[in-house]
Amino acid sequence: MTARGIALAAAAGILLGTGFRYGYPDLALLGSAAGIAVVTALVFAFWRPRLDVARVAEPDRVARGEPADVTLTISNTSRVRAASLIATDRCGAATVDVPLLRLRAGHDTVESYPVPTHRRGLVPIGPLYVTRRDPLGLITLKRAYGGTTIVRVYPRVHPMRAVPAGLTRSLDGRVDKVPQGTITFDTLREYVPGDELRRVHWRSSAKVGELMVREQLDTSEPQIVVLLDDRAAAHRGDSFEDACEAAASIVVAAVREDLPVTLHLVAATLSGPHLDVLTEATLGDGDLDATLRQLRAQKLGDTLIFLTGPGGRDDLGALSGLRSAYPVALAGILGDRDSSPAAPTDRLLVIEAADGAEFAAAWDGVRGW
């Protein structure tokens, strides 16, 4: 109920009470008219139009800065014509006005509007809020229609040509560090038509009673481990956004080359596709020393890439201690290129860049992985 409606309802009560108590029929008549207006406004506002809302985001996964649009289809399934409605659709932190002027029964209206993609993260779209007001402005009632659609705004990906070389000589021509064999036994599986007979393991086949084939693993492929520092104390300004762009660029480059890559955060524990994790990552509190101890114990790969901000500069010494578990280690410091540079050592490569694009260019310039 609006302030006008509250005032009118109070006036109706006062006029009715005064008119009946002191015998003033004119006051009672005015009070009755005011009361009828309030009741009529309640009935008008509480009538619920039946609306079907369909919302499509195209595309629903975009990189930061790329265009995305939402198409909203609103159908009036009521049997009577609805009055003019005021509708707003939630789009992230903002609202979008959707005009529903005299939406007739059995008809629909289609509206489209852009999604803000200037920031990485999840952008919730919806629900649609329809506001009903009576002609006198006494009652305002807002109802929600339809569900919610999520648009994922990925970090911007910068092209990278170089990839780590791994530890052993690869059969596809990659340069490596140790000229040893690359193919080793991994597991056994059942024979399927098309498998080479020379890969059949006859002794196991005799025991099982079915043909068993050796699965072999190429150990020359580098196992890339990306550690993103999501501690609030490690970042200033937009350095965390730049670090997310660097991590996304590394992940995409590794996937393009069919290289195994895993992504880890210091403060948060998120699962799912790597780009989804980078989209949902936020700053928090974490224990870097505990994370490094876990990575040292698990030995998840042979190439460790640590991405941090200006506040993580003092932690590079702890990272260099992981070279026993990760022979190739690189640290990226984003957002603080102009400060005193950290010199690379024989145990740790260091890249300092102002943003993700500069990091990608410096990455391609690394020699001697």
Side-chain angles (χ1 to χ4, degrees), residues 34-75:
I36 291 174
V38 173
V39 172
T40 303
L42 287 171
V43 173
F44 183 88
F46 273 87
W47 173 74
R48 183 185 183 96
R50 290 186 297 176
L51 302 176
D52 287 339
V53 177
R55 184 182 292 101
V56 177
E58 184 63 34
D60 59 354
R61 297 168 184 263
V62 296
R64 184 169 68 90
E66 293 182 352
D69 296 301
V70 170
T71 301
L72 191 65
T73 303
I74 306 170
S75 303

Side-chain angles (χ1 to χ4, degrees), residues 196-252:
E196 299 180 8
L197 291 179
R198 62 186 180 87
R199 293 172 54 192
V200 173
H201 195 269
W202 298 105
R203 181 175 300 177
S204 299
S205 300
K207 292 180 180 180
V208 175
E210 297 181 1
L211 288 179
M212 304 298 293
V213 177
R214 290 188 298 267
E215 281 284 356
Q216 295 174 324
L217 179 68
D218 187 355
T219 59
S220 68
E221 291 185 338
Q223 307 287 323
I224 302 175
V225 180
V226 179
L227 177 60
L228 176 63
D229 192 352
D230 58 342
R231 298 174 299 161
H235 294 277
R236 292 196 296 268
D238 289 335
S239 64
F240 183 61
E241 300 301 318
D242 298 327
C244 289
E245 290 186 7
S249 302
I250 295 171
V251 167
V252 171

Side-chain angles (χ1 to χ4, degrees), residues 76-107:
N76 183 6
T77 59
S78 302
R79 294 184 178 180
V80 296
R81 187 176 67 179
S84 297
L85 304 176
I86 300 174
T88 57
D89 202 25
R90 184 171 70 108
C91 183
T95 57
V96 178
D97 293 332
V98 180
L100 300 176
L101 300 176
R102 296 290 179 183
L103 183 58
R104 293 182 297 173
H107 289 70

Side-chain angles (χ1 to χ4, degrees), residues 106-187:
H107 289 70
D108 54 31
T109 182
V110 179
E111 293 291 332
S112 297
Y113 57 87
V115 179
T117 61
H118 60 280
R119 296 291 293 180
R120 173 192 60 87
L122 303 178
V123 181
I125 312 295
L128 180 76
Y129 287 98
V130 176
T131 303
R132 288 275 295 166
R133 291 192 179 99
D134 67 284
L136 298 179
L138 305 180
I139 302 293
T140 299
L141 190 61
K142 181 182 291 186
R143 294 186 178 95
Y145 290 84
T148 301
T149 301
I150 300 295
V151 175
R152 294 181 178 271
V153 182
Y154 290 152
R156 185 177 294 146
V157 175
H158 303 281
M160 290 180 171
R161 297 186 304 273
V163 292
L167 294 180
T168 57
R169 187 170 301 280
S170 171
L171 297 181
D172 62 5
R174 293 192 183 98
V175 179
D176 52 28
K177 299 180 180 299
V178 182
Q180 297 176 354
T182 64
I183 303 299
T184 184
F185 172 78
D186 183 38
T187 186

